[in-house]
Each structure stands twice: as structure tokens, then as C-alpha cells.
């Protein structure tokens, strides 16, 4: 579950009105922050509870425990039986689920607004009173292994991405997959999940976001009532784990049943830490929009449509995160073209920006898209809640989302050319290649003739 | 055909709606049917144009034609080449989307509603609908990409299973015929132009507008958008599919997990049994984490991460389907559990408690079905395209409340027969 880029993060926030108070925020005595975004367009509400704990906080041998605990969070407390949480949400006309990332774990319910108090009671209950039952664990760990088979083991592209990260990062915990290595899942016990819960699931390590047809004062009162009695506790110290500087290109290849090769080129990249002082992440975001922001953006126009060297060519940038950032160039070569051809073509496009820069119309176009998508993303209450949650999860204040948008609008073509020169360094590059294998182990039959 | 590297969040967001959506309906001067919902909450506009031009209309031997026609529709139109279309849309922050399924081809525009944005965006949409170029070079390139995508799909256990399942359910109906590398290789730009000329007509179109517009503005837009389309006539449907007969397809694959589908053709859109099946299926396998299939297959046995059942009503009888993935060595056991759950449900129907829970969720969640313009658009476009009653959403909750356990048993009895259940497995030991 990788991150959305910064661009995607902020467009849905809907916070450009600057001085207005909405969203509202309070902090309970136990350290729990409560953020309320009033949006009265429909009689519904979203509650999300975000814990500042993700797979990057795991240790070797116990990879995947953050995600396993997420599954166990639905398995009951002394007052709410196993499976009862889902039942109560469903009875209230709601939908619920949860997700785990490298940086955080989050839980949500979308409900008719009348059911919000019950949802808050349920989330408060499992924040401190989870029953990690060994029998339930025994079944659920199998479910997680099936999830791993589905998402990763039988998905060559996901597997390649997993292996890329395992090679690109050596010291930093981003090298471990969120879902965990299969062998770690096999060795995991209910006690591991319980220890994780006891250590990290406390109000002072969480924040609650409510969006919808609600009054923030009422939500604050409900939060005080349900979450207020929970006790905070000091968190264990978290050790900073800094990835040493990469000093040379790394290459990894994966053989898997597939038809098409895949190439991923990942470069170590800066991460947005200081909204005012940092400038490179903003420039890289706009570069991403110019290279891959619409159907006639450079990658698709040149590599797919004109030169026909690629079936697809993509650019993505992880600009926010608790850990280090990465830039990814990726794609699939067209029939008759090789991964080496595609790598050369992708490098060629970067070289073109380094040499000639980007044009003013291209930048203007990217900025116009940004402004429009900011409006479009207000169409979803869930999306608006996600934006606040994600930016907070990486340690940046949601109140500054509008400022980040301004900073993006201020990026110049000269800055874009400068970051293109600065960050595509071969010594900071990891290349991943999927080498397709026939399903039956026999040589491929000749491809259907197609002209290119 | 984007190859996403990201792993999707495990977020289940389904379709949508809200009591009090006022749908205005009229017929444009061209003959196209128009559905309009005024929504002034945000300064934006969604327009979706649906044509009865899905893959069910692919001529024999030319499977993939409907999809390729839709895919290349906006790769050049009128005086604009594909780059001009994409750049001009991006310059005003507009997005053009859509696609083709078995029944329909959709073209969807999202734009800011300010006149200086909306008008150029709508002008491009109009050109794309009425004057696609189908440039031969572009068509050949897109054919190549489509063929590569199909070949890739033929290596994926879920795609292999899905294709085999539809082929087994619909042996003598267009729903069962699917694009292959060979069929796509035969397509020419003239095939695409002819398909467009025949099916992208005003009589064959429904237009849905949701957003920051007045009725009179919507009327003008609908007239202008469709004035250049051929008048055409409503498309004739093929004979309906047969009932579906028992078959078992077992395909080998090296994957770690077996992909399993069970089901058969069931109901068409507008079938009077729809609400009984919807409410019943909630208990069987539709109700997310609280269904019987989820309890038995996932919670009790840990066999699968995902297990579900649903009815997918189409223009003609669409499938009832159960799906799951499990470690290949336990595929047989998992299938037996799923079959037992289904058989038990067919025999006894839901308990009183289950029926009440199903109704509580399906009626209670109604506001969540309509709480964004996008969700309203999806719902109203469905109503328009399939000719459902305009007050469909107004009576949705009442129809759910009226369903009885006896209705459910009877409706399942009519449409889901254990003896005829079609089974497809890929990578099962």
C-alpha cells in the first residue's frame, strides 16, 4: 500500500479558503487529537482513526505484524464479540474497513450521520480493550497469508516492486514489505500481535478525523465522552534509521509467469519535511505532472504514441513519508522492443529536460490541472478525510495544505530543470526488471504479427 | 491499459445515492434521451454519454471491436489530433474518461462549470462523439497495445478464470464471446468507423448531466452535443441467453492460489425479482464482512481473503457469481464449503434475524449511495441507460422493506439452480 504523491495528497483537501476555521480541532487530556471537517452536502459522516504506527516500525523476523494487528482489530473486545464490530456497522447502514501502510494504520466507517456516536463508541472501545484471542489469530493469520498470495506472490508486478524496495533500501525499514515476508507470517503468534497492540494503540499515538454533516462542537463532546476516559501512556522511543547514501546502481531481476516485461527505475529522492524551506519536492511534483499528468504528457506522447517504444510509460514520485523518498520511472516495452530500449528511452526523456528544460505552456497546463483537481476532489467526503489523515501521518500539518498548494503554483521552469539535473543520479538508482516466463515452461509460441 | 505499480488500498467503495435526488428527463431535438440533476454544491459539471454499443454488438469473428472503437474515439477527432485533444482538455483542467463493457460504451467528461472552461470542454466532447478520425496509424498502434494487454491477461489466473467463466455461462450468446489477440488482429479502421456510424447515434444514446447548471443550460448542451450525431435507430438485441447448464472447467496454472468461480446467467436489468435477490444475496455473500460466505470460508476456516457473491443484472440476463481465491491445495475443500453455504441458503433462505440485518443495512446505507456528484451520476446514468423508472431511487428503500423471506426463497429458486451451477477453477490441485 504505497503512498499517494504529494500532489494527490493536497488536491482533495479543500482547504484553500485559508483563514476559515473549518476544519476544527481539539486535543483531549489523554493526548488524542480530534479533527472535524464540516461538510453538509449529504446526511452522512466518515470517521477515521489513524494510528502513527506502520510497517516501518516493525523489526526483522516480525514483518507484517502491523497489518496482522489491523486484521485482529475486528476480532472483539470484552464487550463486543468477534465479528460484532462489522455487524454493528452494517446494522447502522454503514461500511467499514481499514488499511495499513509503511507509515500508519487507519480504520474507517462511512455511515448515515445519526450513527456517528455509535461508531465513535466502537472505535474508542477497541483502542484500548482489544482481545487478541489465540484461536481467532490462528484463523486470521491464514487469511493474511491468502492475502499475500493474492496481492504479491501471484502478482508479478507487485512482487517486482517488493524486491525493488528490498534492494533499494538496506538499513531503512522501507526495505520490508507491508504485508510481511511469508516466513515471518508463518512464525507469527498471537503474542506478537498483542505486544504490538499494547505498545502502540494508545490515544496519544492516534488522531480521529470526522468529516460530514456534523457540528464540530457535538463531535468534540462525543469524543470527550467516548475517547476521553482512555488512558494515555508514554510511547517507547523510536530509533531513527537513516539509509546510508547509495554509491552505485543496483539491479534486481525477477522471473515470473507473465507475457510482458516490466522495467522500474527507482531513484532516491528528497522528501518534503519543511513546507516553507524545502523547494525541490514541489519542483519534482510539477515535473511528474509534465511527464505523466495527462494523455499527451511527455512520456505517453513521445514514448507510447510517437516512438512506440513503450506500451506504457509512467512517472511517479513519493514526496511525502516518514521515511525516505523515491522517484520511479516505469513501463513496459512495446512488442519488438527490449527493456534496454525502454530504459534508454526513459533516460532520454530525462536528459531532454536536463538539457532543454520544460516549456511555459507545459507548466501552465500542469498548474491548471492542479487547480481543477482541487475542486473535483471535494466531491468525496472520504477523499477529503484521507487527505487530512495522510498528511498528518507523515508529520506535516493539515493546516498548511493550502500553503503547499501555493508553493506548487510558484514552481518555475528553471526549478524543474534544476531538479532534473540534480536527482537522476545513476549512483542512487535501483533498476528492477520483470523477466516473463511461459506458464507451462515451454518456449513461447510466435507472437501474433502486429505492425508498429 | 496502465500498469499500476501501486498496491491498491483495501478500501471497498461501491456505488451510491440520496433521497431527494430530483431527476429531470426529456428528449433532445436529436432524439437522444437526457437525464439531468442540478447540483450547485461545487463549481463543476459531469456529463456522461452512454451508447448501446458494448461488446454484445461485436460481429462474429470481430470480438474486441466495440472496445477498440471506444478506446480510440478520443485519439483524434474533427480537426484535432490526439495530442491537441489531450492538451486542450488539460489546459482547462477537464478530464475525459469512460470505456466499454458488455452493454454500453460511455464517454464521460468532468469539467469546471465556469463558462470559459465548460464551453471548450463540451466542444471537444461533441467533436469526439460525432467525428472521431480513427486514423489508421493510431488504430494500428492501439491494436498492438490491446493485443499485448490481452496476451498479458492470458497469463493471469484471475483473467483466465474470468474469461473461461463467461465463455461457459454464455456458450451461444455474445456475452460469452471475448476479444482474443487473433480477433483484434483482424480489425481495421474501417471496421471502427462503420461500428461508430451504426451505434453512436442519437436514438441509441442517453445523456446524463449532473452539476452546476440550470435546466435551460442543460437543454442547450444536450441539443448541441447530439446535433451532429446520426439520427439512427435503437439497437436491436440478440436473442436472450439460455439458462445455463452444468459444466466444470479446470485449467492448469503455476500460481500459488486457485481462482474459483461458481455461477450461472440469472437476471436482466429491471427484472421484478431484483430486490428479493439483492436482499437475499446480502446474507449469502453480498454483505461484506457479515455474509454467510465470509463467515464460513474466511472467518471460520481462513480459506480466503476475499469471498463474495453477487447478481450483476445486464441488458440481458447477467450472471449470478460466487468468487474466491485460496491456496491451491485446499481448493476442493473451499469449493465444497461455498457450495454447502449456497445449498443451505437455497433450501432455507435467510433467518428472521438475517433478513432484518440485510434490510437495516440496505435501507440505512441509502444516503451513502448518493452523497457525491459522481455517485449521483453513476446511479442516474444507469437509470437512463437501462430505462429504469425515474422514481427508482425514491422507492428503493420501500422495495427493500417489502421483501419477505418467502420472496427470497422463491426468487433464488427461479434463478439459481444447484444442478446447473457452472464451475471454473484455475490453478486448483
Amino acid at each position: 500500500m504505497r503512498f499517494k504523491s504529494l500532489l494527490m495528497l493536497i488536491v482533495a483537501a479543500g482547504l484553500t479558503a485559508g483563514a476559515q476555521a473549518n476544519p476544527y480541532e481539539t486535543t483531549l487530556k489523554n493526548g488524542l487529537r480530534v479533527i472535524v471537517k464540516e461538510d453538509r452536502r449529504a446526511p452522512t459522516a466518515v470517521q477515521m482513526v489513524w494510528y502513527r504506527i506502520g510497517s516501518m516500525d516493525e523489526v526483522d523476523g516480525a514483518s507484517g505484524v502491523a497489518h496482522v494487528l489491523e486484521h485482529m482489530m475486528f476480532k472483539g473486545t470484552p464487550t463486543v464479540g468477534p465479528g460484532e464490530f462489522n455487524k454493528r456497522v452494517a446494522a447502522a447502514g454503514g461500511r467499514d474497513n481499514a488499511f495499513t501502510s509503511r507509515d500508519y494504520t487507519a480504520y474507517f466507517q462511512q455511515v448515515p450521520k445519526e450513527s456517528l456516536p455509535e461508531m465513535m463508541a466502537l472505535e474508542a472501545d477497541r483502542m484500548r480493550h482489544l482481545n487478541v484471542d489465540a484461536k481467532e489469530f490462528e484463523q486470521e493469520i491464514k487469511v493474511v497469508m491468502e492475502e499475500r498470495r493474492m496481492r504479491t506472490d501471484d502478482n508479478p508486478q507487485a512482487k517486482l516492486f517488493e524486491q525493488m524496495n528490498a534492494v533499494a533500501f538496506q538499513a531503512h525499514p522501507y526495505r520490508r514489505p507491508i504485508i510481511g515476508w511469508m516466513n515471518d507470517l508463518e512464525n507469527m503468534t498471537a503474542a506478537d500481535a498483542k505486544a504490538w497492540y499494547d505498545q502502540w494503540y494508545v490515544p496519544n499515538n492516534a488522531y480521529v478525523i470526522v468529516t460530514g454533516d456534523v457540528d464540530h462542537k457535538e463531535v468534540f463532546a462525543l469524543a470527550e465522552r467516548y475517547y476521553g476516559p482512555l488512558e494515555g501512556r508514554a510511547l517507547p522511543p523510536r530509533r531513527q534509521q537513516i539509509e546510508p547514501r547509495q554509491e552505485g546502481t543496483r539491479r534486481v531481476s525477477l522471473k515470473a509467469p507473465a507475457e510482458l516485461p516490466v522495467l522500474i527505475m527507482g531513484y532516491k529522492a528528497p522528501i518534503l519535511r519543511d513546507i516553507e524551506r524545502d523547494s525541490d519536492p514541489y519542483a519534482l511534483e510539477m515535473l511528474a505532472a509534465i511527464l505523466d499528468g495527462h494523455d499527451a504528457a511527455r512520456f505517453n506522447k513521445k514514448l507510447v504514441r510517437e516512438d512506440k517504444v513503450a506500451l506504457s510509460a509512467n512517472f511517479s514520485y513519493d514526496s511525502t513519508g516518514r521515511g525516505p523518498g523515491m522517484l520511479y520511472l516505469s513501463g513496459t516495452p512495446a512488442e519488438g522492443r527490449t527493456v534496454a530500449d525502454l530504459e534508454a528511452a526513459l533516460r532520454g526523456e530525462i536528459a531532454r529536460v536536463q538539457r532543454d528544460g520544460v516549456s511555459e505552456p507545459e507548466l501552465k497546463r500542469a498548474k491548471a490541472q492542479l487547480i481543477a483537481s482541487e475542486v473535483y476532489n471535494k466531491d468525496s467526503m472520504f477523499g477529503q478525510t484521507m487527505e487530512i489523515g495522510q498528511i498528518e501521518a507523515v508529520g506535516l500539518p493539515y493546516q498548511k495544505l493550502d500553503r503547499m498548494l501555493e508553493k506548487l503554483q510558484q514552481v518555475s521552469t528553471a526549478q524543474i530543470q534544476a531538479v532534473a539535473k540534480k536527482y537522476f543520479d545513476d549512483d542512487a538508482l535501483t533498476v528492477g526488471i520483470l523477466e516473463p516466463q511461459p506458464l507451462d515452461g515451454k518456449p513461447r509460441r510466435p507472437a501474433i504479427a502486429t505492425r508498429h | 491499459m496502465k500498469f499500476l505499480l501501486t498496491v491498491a488500498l483495501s478500501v471497498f467503495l461501491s456505488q451510491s445515492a440520496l433521497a431527494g435526488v430530483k431527476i429531470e428527463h426529456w428528449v433532445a431535438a436529436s432524439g437522444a434521451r437526457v437525464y439531468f440533476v442540478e447540483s450547485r454544491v461545487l463549481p463543476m459539471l459531469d456529463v456522461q454519454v452512454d451508447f448501446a454499443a458494448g461488446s454484445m454488438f461485436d460481429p462474429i469473428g470481430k470480438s474486441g471491436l466495440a472496445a477498440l472503437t471506444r478506446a480510440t474515439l478520443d485519439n483524434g477527432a474533427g480537426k484535432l489530433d490526439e495530442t491537441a485533444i489531450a492538451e486542450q482538455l488539460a489546459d482547462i483542467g477537464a478530464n475525459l474518461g469512460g470505456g466499454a463493457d458488455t452493454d454500453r460504451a460511455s464517454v464521460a467528461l468532468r469539467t469546471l462549470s465556469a463558462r470559459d472552461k465548460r464551453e471548450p470542454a463540451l466542444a471537444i466532447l461533441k467533436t469526439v462523439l460525432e467525428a472521431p478520425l480513427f486514423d489508421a496509424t493510431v488504430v494500428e498502434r492501439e491494436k498492438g497495445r490491446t493485443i499485448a494487454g490481452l496476451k498479458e491477461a492470458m497469463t493471469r489466473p484471475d483473467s483466465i478464470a474470468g474469461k473461461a467463466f463467461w465463455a461457459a455461462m454464455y456458450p451461444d450468446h455474445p456475452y460469452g464471446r471475448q476479444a482474443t489477440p487473433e480477433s483484434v488482429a483482424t480489425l481495421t479502421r474501417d471496421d471502427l468507423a462503420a461500428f461508430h456510424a451504426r451505434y453512436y447515434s442519437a436514438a441509441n444514446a442517453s445523456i446524463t448531466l449532473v452539476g452546476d447548471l440550470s435546466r435551460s443550460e442543460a437543454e442547450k448542451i444536450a441539443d448541441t452535443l447530439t446535433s451532429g450525431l446520426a439520427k439512427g435507430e435503437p439497437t436491436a438485441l440478440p436473442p436472450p441467453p439460455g439458462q445455463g447448464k452444468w459444466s466444470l472447467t479446470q485449467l492448469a496454472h503455476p500460481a500459488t492460489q486457485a481462482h474459483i468461480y461458481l455461477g450461472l446467467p440469472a437476471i436482466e436489468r429491471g427484472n421484478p425479482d431484483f430486490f428479493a435477490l439483492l436482499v437475499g444475496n446480502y446474507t449469502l455473500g453480498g454483505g461484506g464482512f457479515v455474509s454467510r460466505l465470509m463467515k464460513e470460508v474466511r472467518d471460520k476456516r481462513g480459506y480466503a481473503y476475499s469471498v463474495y457473491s453477487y447478481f450483476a443484472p445486464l441488458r440481458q440476463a447477467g450472471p449470478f457469481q460466487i468468487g474466491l481465491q485460496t491456496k491451491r491445495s485446499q481448493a476442493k475443500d473451499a469449493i465444497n464449503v461455498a457450495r454447502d453455504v449456497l445449498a443451505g441458503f437455497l433450501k432455507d433462505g435467510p433467518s428472521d434475524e438475517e433478513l432484518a440485518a440485510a434490510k437495516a443495512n440496505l435501507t440505512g446505507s441509502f444516503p451513502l449511495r448518493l452523497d457525491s456528484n459522481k455517485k449521483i451520476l453513476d446511479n442516474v446514468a444507469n437509470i437512463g441507460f437501462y430505462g429504469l423508472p425515474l422514481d427508482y431511487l425514491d422507492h428503493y428503500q420501500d422495495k427493500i422493506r417489502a421483501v419477505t423471506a418467502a420472496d427470497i426463497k422463491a426468487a433464488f429458486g427461479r434463478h439459481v439452480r444447484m444442478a446447473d451451477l457452472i464451475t471454473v477453477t484455475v490453478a486448483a490441485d
Side-chain angles (χ1 to χ4, degrees), chain B residues 60 163-178 239-247 264-265 420 422:
Chain B
I60 301 242
K163 282 168 189 282
F165 186 57
W166 281 74
M169 282 191 298
Y170 299 100
D172 305 312
H173 186 273
Y175 285 166
R177 294 197 284 270
Q178 293 151 68
Q243 283 222 316
K245 284 205 192 94
W246 182 92
S247 71
L264 72 187
D420 287 337
I422 289 156

Side-chain angles (χ1 to χ4, degrees), chain A residues 5 7 282-299 315-317 358 362-370 408 416, chain B residues 90:
Chain A
S5 73
L7 242 162
Y282 300 112
L284 284 166
E285 283 289 355
M286 297 318 281
L287 175 63
I290 286 167
L291 294 177
D292 190 23
H294 57 92
D295 282 354
R298 286 191 177 196
F299 273 17
F315 186 103
S316 72
Y317 171 39
V358 298
E362 284 176 299
L363 181 56
K364 201 176 153 209
R365 189 170 294 138
K367 289 178 179 176
Q369 285 188 289
L370 182 60
L408 282 166
I416 293 173

Side-chain angles (χ1 to χ4, degrees), chain A residues 21 44 60 87 146 181 222 315 326 339 342 401 446:
Chain A
T44 61
D60 278 355
K87 240 189 210 170
E146 293 295 349
W181 300 112
L222 288 167
F315 186 103
M326 287 279 276
V339 164
L342 178 59
L401 282 164

Side-chain angles (χ1 to χ4, degrees), chain A residues 41 90 146 260 365 376 379, chain B residues 91 93 145 152 257 361 373:
Chain A
R41 61 180 308 187
E146 293 295 349
L260 304 171
R365 189 170 294 138
Y376 303 153
D379 196 35
Chain B
D91 281 337
R145 296 179 71 216
E152 177 67 24
Q257 260 187 337
N361 180 266
N373 286 12

Side-chain angles (χ1 to χ4, degrees), chain B residues 1-315:
Chain B
M1 195 179 46
K2 273 209 164 187
F3 297 100
L4 294 180
L5 299 167
T6 48
V7 178
L9 297 176
S10 55
V11 174
F12 303 154
L13 296 176
S14 52
Q15 80 240 47
S16 49
L18 175 83
V21 167
K22 189 177 147 222
I23 305 172
E24 300 187 51
H25 169 54
W26 65 92
V27 176
S30 60
R33 291 167 295 129
V34 188
Y35 302 82
F36 170 55
V37 176
E38 183 174 328
S39 167
R40 302 287 193 172
V41 182
L42 296 168
M44 55 185 262
L45 169 66
D46 285 287
V47 182
Q48 182 168 321
V49 186
D50 292 312
F51 296 96
S55 63
M56 71 188 295
F57 303 108
D58 283 345
I60 301 242
K62 294 207 175 282
S63 291
L65 178 55
L68 192 63
T69 302
R70 172 59 196 90
T72 51
L73 203 67
D74 55 347
N75 288 133
K79 289 179 180 152
L80 304 174
D81 67 11
E82 57 183 351
T83 298
I85 289 174
E87 287 186 348
Q88 289 181 21
L89 287 169
D91 281 337
I92 49 177
N95 299 327
L96 197 59
D101 62 18
T102 53
D103 293 355
R104 68 177 139 174
S106 302
V107 186
L109 173 74
R110 172 166 274 197
T111 176
L112 298 173
S113 55
R115 200 170 281 273
D116 67 326
K117 304 287 192 300
R118 174 179 101 201
E119 287 183 351
L122 288 163
I124 292 171
L125 175 61
K126 175 180 165 66
T127 309
V128 163
L129 294 176
E130 69 186 30
L133 297 174
F134 302 120
D135 174 85
T137 312
V138 170
V139 169
E140 286 306 310
R141 182 194 72 213
E142 293 305 313
K143 269 171 65 177
R145 296 179 71 216
T146 302
I147 289 168
L150 287 168
K151 288 201 249 172
E152 177 67 24
M154 287 159 67
T155 69
R156 300 294 177 96
D158 51 342
S159 305
I160 295 169
K163 282 168 189 282
F165 186 57
W166 281 74
M169 282 191 298
Y170 299 100
D172 305 312
H173 186 273
Y175 285 166
R177 294 197 284 270
Q178 293 151 68
T180 62
E182 292 78 6
S183 72
V184 172
T186 68
L187 303 178
T188 67
R189 65 90 40 206
D190 291 346
D191 290 329
L192 273 62
F195 189 86
H196 173 264
R198 175 161 178 197
Y199 293 103
Y200 285 64
S201 68
N204 213 16
S206 55
I207 304 174
T208 309
L209 304 103
V210 177
D212 181 19
L213 278 186
S214 68
R215 161 85 186 236
S216 66
E217 288 170 326
E219 284 180 11
K220 261 182 231 152
I221 290 170
D223 282 345
T224 309
L225 268 184
T226 54
S227 64
L229 292 179
K231 195 161 170 28
E233 46 194 77
T235 308
L237 296 178
Q243 283 222 316
K245 284 205 192 94
W246 182 92
S247 71
L248 170 64
T249 309
Q250 295 168 296
L251 301 170
H253 190 283
T256 65
Q257 260 187 337
H259 288 248
I260 295 158
Y261 290 131
L262 310 168
L264 72 187
I267 55 163
E268 72 287 351
R269 285 271 181 182
N271 186 297
D273 284 335
F274 173 73
F275 284 98
L277 297 173
L278 176 72
V279 175
N281 187 62
Y282 180 90
T283 298
L284 174 63
F289 291 114
V290 297
S291 73
R292 286 192 191 179
L293 281 170
M294 198 62 123
K295 252 178 259 170
E296 296 298 324
V297 176
R298 174 170 159 155
D299 293 350
K300 281 200 193 156
R301 294 173 179 83
Y303 279 168
Y305 173 68
S306 160
V307 54
Y308 58 82
S309 66
Y310 61 74
F311 289 87
L314 297 172
R315 177 69 80 196

Side-chain angles (χ1 to χ4, degrees), chain A residues 94-141:
Chain A
R95 303 179 186 136
D96 68 318
N97 213 325
F99 42 91
T100 305
S101 94
R102 301 192 294 199
D103 298 354
Y104 59 80
T105 311
Y107 302 80
F108 71 86
Q109 302 83 40
Q110 299 168 276
V111 289
K113 64 174 178 176
E114 299 77 23
S115 303
L116 179 66
E118 188 186 0
M119 298 304 112
M120 294 177 77
L122 281 166
E123 280 289 12
D125 177 46
R126 69 178 176 181
M127 183 174 281
R128 292 296 295 121
H129 305 120
L130 186 69
N131 182 18
V132 183
D133 179 79
K135 276 219 173 80
E136 293 286 343
F137 179 90
E138 203 183 314
Q139 295 310 321
E140 199 60 26
I141 194 73

Side-chain angles (χ1 to χ4, degrees), chain A residues 55-290:
Chain A
S55 67
M56 72 171 278
D57 302 293
E58 297 163 351
V59 295
D60 278 355
S63 65
V65 70
H67 172 249
V68 169
L69 195 272
E70 177 220 297
H71 277 237
M72 293 307 295
M73 282 286 275
F74 294 87
K75 296 298 176 187
T77 68
T79 52
V80 177
E84 188 68 25
F85 190 103
N86 292 132
K87 240 189 210 170
R88 291 214 199 160
V89 176
R95 303 179 186 136
D96 68 318
N97 213 325
F99 42 91
T100 305
S101 94
R102 301 192 294 199
D103 298 354
Y104 59 80
T105 311
Y107 302 80
F108 71 86
Q109 302 83 40
Q110 299 168 276
V111 289
K113 64 174 178 176
E114 299 77 23
S115 303
L116 179 66
E118 188 186 0
M119 298 304 112
M120 294 177 77
L122 281 166
E123 280 289 12
D125 177 46
R126 69 178 176 181
M127 183 174 281
R128 292 296 295 121
H129 305 120
L130 186 69
N131 182 18
V132 183
D133 179 79
K135 276 219 173 80
E136 293 286 343
F137 179 90
E138 203 183 314
Q139 295 310 321
E140 199 60 26
I141 194 73
K142 292 185 203 160
V143 172
V144 174
M145 289 186 224
E146 293 295 349
E147 186 178 356
R148 185 187 155 86
R149 288 185 187 102
M150 188 183 81
R151 286 191 196 281
T152 309
D153 293 342
D154 287 345
N155 182 338
Q157 288 166 25
K159 209 173 187 177
L160 177 64
F161 189 72
E162 177 178 277
Q163 306 223 337
M164 274 270 308
N165 279 320
V167 169
F169 296 107
Q170 297 180 333
H172 194 276
Y174 276 4
R175 73 182 187 280
R176 289 187 297 259
I178 296 166
I179 199 157
W181 300 112
M182 188 60 103
N183 187 235
D184 288 352
L185 296 176
E186 286 161 353
N187 293 332
M188 200 172 290
T189 65
D192 295 323
K194 178 79 165 79
W196 185 261
Y197 177 76
D198 288 343
Q199 196 163 18
W200 299 112
Y201 278 65
V202 287
N204 46 309
N205 196 34
Y207 48 101
V208 175
I209 309 170
V210 173
T211 303
D213 187 6
V214 296
D215 180 293
H216 68 279
K217 283 187 205 133
E218 285 172 25
V219 178
F220 289 168
L222 288 167
E224 186 58 53
R225 177 169 164 204
Y226 294 116
Y227 293 100
L230 305 176
E231 270 178 47
R233 181 162 24 78
L235 295 164
R238 303 192 204 214
R239 296 178 200 194
Q240 202 178 24
Q241 299 181 75
I242 294 174
E243 180 70 18
R245 185 186 164 77
Q246 186 175 337
E247 295 167 313
T249 303
R250 298 171 189 164
R251 288 186 175 264
V252 58
S253 67
L254 168 71
K255 291 181 178 175
E259 172 71 22
L260 304 171
V262 176
L263 166 72
I264 309 178
M265 301 168 68
Y267 294 87
K268 298 282 167 60
I271 206 102
L272 185 67
R273 302 278 182 221
D274 185 321
I275 287 169
E276 289 303 326
R277 278 188 218 150
D278 288 344
S279 61
D280 288 357
Y282 300 112
L284 284 166
E285 283 289 355
M286 297 318 281
L287 175 63
I290 286 167

